[in-house]
Amino acid sequence: MKQYERFAEHMTRLLDERGISTTELARAVGFKSRNSLYRILNDQTSSDVEQSFFNDLKASGCLKLTPCEWARLEESLEISRLGVDTYVSHRAIRELLSAPPPEAGMFTCFMRGADGNVQQKPLYAVLKELTRGASLKLTMFNCCNAGFIRTLADELRAAAKRCQVSVTHYFFAGKGEVVRNMMATQSILYEDWYNAYMMTPGSGPQETEALLRANTVLIHLRDAQGNERYEQMVMLDKQHIICSGMLDHQLIGMLDGVVKDCMPQMHSVKSNFADIAHDAQDYLRYTEQYRLLEHNCAIMSLKPDVPINYIHPDILLSPVLDGFTQSNMTEEQDMHQLVSALYNVQLKRFNNFFKKKKVTHTIFSAKAMERFVRTGKQSDHFFAIRPYTPAERKAILLNLREQAAHNPYFWVYFLKNDEAEMQAEITLYEGKGVMFMQADTSYDLERSHNEALVNHPELNETFKDFFMKDMLTSHVLSYQDTMALLDHFIQMLG
């Protein structure tokens, strides 16, 4: 059985497995002619016709499928409607939002031991050995397997506390690849020691494109005495890796040169804040960058609860002053000048969202919003702002409800099912890119904050299509239920 079957393929296989003829099936579902069924089984009809047939088939009970089998058949309807690439991309985004992080991959590594024989070790054990020295530098080509990257992230996150770790990741951003690759990197994307670059089709030599799909990791090790060695991993499939040691450093240098020659044609995936001063002025510049990013463009966003840009600066003023004072964010004599500058930027951001003639769609988690109502802390609460008081929370929600009720360009929604915590914030700034960010960031640029703004046509269009045609049609509450939930949260605050 193929991993992703279109509806016609799936139905044909089910009939073969159960020995049911097309004549029998046509009679069971009430078709007067077998020709209509033939067209469905030959993938010559529309998605609406397939959906109608699926409903008739389920009502007839002639196939006697289990609930799991019905779910897979219904999945094949979606695959036919969207196409395999789009279906897989939509599923990857949905899993990022609500599914638990991917489990570590159960990879087996094959390597030659000291006795000359081939040994087998689990990937996590090999990584533990590699991180015993003073430094470990990995150069990855593709390897965009979520389980592999999760294993890598878990082991290197622990190793970074005792040795110097660096990962540079190159991958190709071709059709059907960029979304899946971005989703696969989420467990490692926000680490300071990880940087990623992608190449779009036609922007470099075909040989470099092939290299960026090679599923290879080059390993540069240095021990406490300064001795260096190079090794390599090659992924054979989703379970097996070949490890080879003692690579020639000159050959590795030549490979590095090939990649560096193509760097001008590559796009950096991340915005990394490791090298900035992290003073109060940096946050002012950071806020101004976001103002420019948001300015006068359509925005589609998935966020746990109210973002700071939906809060009027008059409400923010007191929490900011109190928080900056408590956290020693800046010298007292500079405080009012900084806050005044932040106020002006925030007012422009607020007015942009509620006065621009470009639509803003935001999907929230009811669970996260209720937590905000009860605690006054956002999921991505800025570390130097105190929690909002009940009165401030109520004012924030009243404005949100007012805009949702009367502003034709501003729409809010709640997820129908949000039992799992939202794992990431994702926002499309139309024409400018898709922003990925940890859902629980504190915006501490020095310690915990990284984000990725990816401006890639396929990613932009796929996310917009997913948001408008999948999330808004099937996974959010109705307008009436959304407004009722907002009223409930407001009533909780008295």
Side-chain angles (χ1 to χ4, degrees), residues 172-229:
F172 189 66
K175 182 173 176 56
E177 294 175 280
V178 62
V179 177
R180 297 196 294 275
N181 289 349
M182 282 301 304
M183 299 307 121
T185 64
Q186 291 297 307
S187 57
I188 201 171
L189 180 64
Y190 308 106
E191 301 297 337
D192 289 338
W193 38 262
Y194 172 84
N195 286 290
Y197 303 88
M198 64 182 185
M199 175 180 282
T200 56
S203 59
Q206 290 184 349
E207 293 78 10
T208 306
E209 291 184 7
L211 175 62
L212 267 58
R213 288 193 173 110
N215 284 334
T216 298
V217 183
L218 303 180
I219 304 163
H220 180 191
L221 298 155
R222 181 183 291 111
D223 64 21
Q225 290 72 44
N227 300 310
E228 296 179 290
R229 76 176 194 273

Side-chain angles (χ1 to χ4, degrees), residues 474-487:
S474 304
H475 298 282
V476 298
L477 298 178
S478 68
Y479 172 79
Q480 292 78 10
D481 288 342
T482 292
M483 299 305 285
L485 195 51
L486 279 173
D487 287 338

